[in-house]
Amino acid sequence: TRAPVSLGQLRQEFDVFYSRMTTVRRATVFAELRDDPVSRGALSEIVAFLDNSVPLIDADDDRLLSGLPELVISASKIAPRVRKLANSGLNIFAQSADKQRNAVSQTMAQLAIALATLISTLAIGLYYLNRLNHHIHRREREQNQTAMRMKTITDTALDGVIVCDADGLILEFSPAAEAIFGHSEEDVL
């Protein structure tokens, strides 16, 4: 024997099921499910069952009790369609999740390539700057050595040496020039 049916609980569970099917019919998140022909057919049959059952569920207790055997038969017939819709939904959402995962994976791969390119470019730039810096330091060293040689030559020359720029500004005044002209290098500069 079966346990007695609580009509209030039956109505509440029917309302919950009806509400969930309404959500599946209208919510944008289920658009892919509604677009699938198999799911669309199952959903249509479930909606027809619900629409046909509403008058019985909303009827008074006596009418509902007398119509329960018919409701049980209808519910038994629609149960495989509900399972089919649920399984279809799982498959569609799994495929959608796979597509999203692949899209994220592709985006991550593109970002990795962009990052590798950026790091390579920075490494090449750093190498170039390092070479340039080395070249500048070498030139600076050579210029300093040349200046030291020139200074040594002008300081040890017996002739007076005066070095000027293009504007006639005196840049160097050798010790021999000091002796010849009678002015110190500090005064002349």
Side-chain angles (χ1 to χ4, degrees):
T1 66
R2 294 174 66 167
V5 176
S6 165
L7 297 181
Q9 183 179 354
L10 175 65
R11 285 183 174 116
Q12 182 181 12
E13 289 178 10
F14 182 87
D15 287 345
V16 168
F17 184 56
Y18 191 92
S19 171
R20 288 184 180 161
M21 287 299 103
T22 300
T23 301
V24 169
R25 284 176 27 196
R26 295 187 182 150
T28 55
V29 74
F30 294 108
E32 275 188 72
L33 183 67
R34 290 189 302 268
D35 291 342
D36 179 55
V38 172
S39 301
R40 189 174 37 242
L43 185 58
S44 294
E45 289 181 39
I46 294 167
V47 168
F49 161 75
L50 290 171
D51 289 342
N52 291 337
S53 301
V54 167
L56 183 61
I57 292 293
D58 289 344
D60 61 33
D61 289 353
D62 291 337
R63 168 79 176 98
L64 180 54
L65 276 173
S66 67
L68 271 181
E70 180 185 321
L71 185 62
V72 167
I73 292 169
S74 297
S76 303
K77 288 179 182 175
I78 202 67
R81 301 305 279 169
V82 173
R83 258 189 305 283
K84 183 179 258 186
L85 181 65
N87 289 338
S88 257
L90 287 174
N91 288 337
I92 289 170
F93 288 124
Q95 290 170 359
S96 178
D98 286 344
K99 286 178 190 173
Q100 288 176 347
R101 213 174 359 266
N102 287 339
V104 167
S105 185
Q106 283 181 336
T107 302
M108 294 297 279
Q110 290 170 347
L111 284 174
I113 290 169
L115 184 61
T117 303
L118 179 63
I119 289 172
S120 298
T121 304
L122 287 174
I124 291 169
L126 187 61
Y127 174 76
Y128 175 75
L129 287 175
N130 192 23
R131 295 275 301 165
L132 189 60
N133 192 29
H134 177 69
H135 182 69
I136 289 170
H137 281 299
R138 191 183 81 227
R139 268 214 170 152
E140 207 173 82
R141 220 177 17 251
E142 289 171 357
Q143 285 178 347
N144 286 341
Q145 288 174 351
T146 302
M148 291 289 283
R149 280 191 214 118
M150 287 297 292
K151 181 82 171 142
T152 302
I153 291 170
T154 56
D155 286 350
T156 58
L158 297 177
D159 294 327
V161 178
I162 301 170
V163 178
C164 300
D165 66 7
D167 296 327
L169 186 64
I170 297 175
L171 302 174
E172 289 186 39
F173 198 73
S174 73
E178 285 179 343
I180 293 171
F181 296 110
H183 296 287
S184 72
E185 182 181 13
E186 290 175 8
D187 291 342
V188 173
L189 294 180

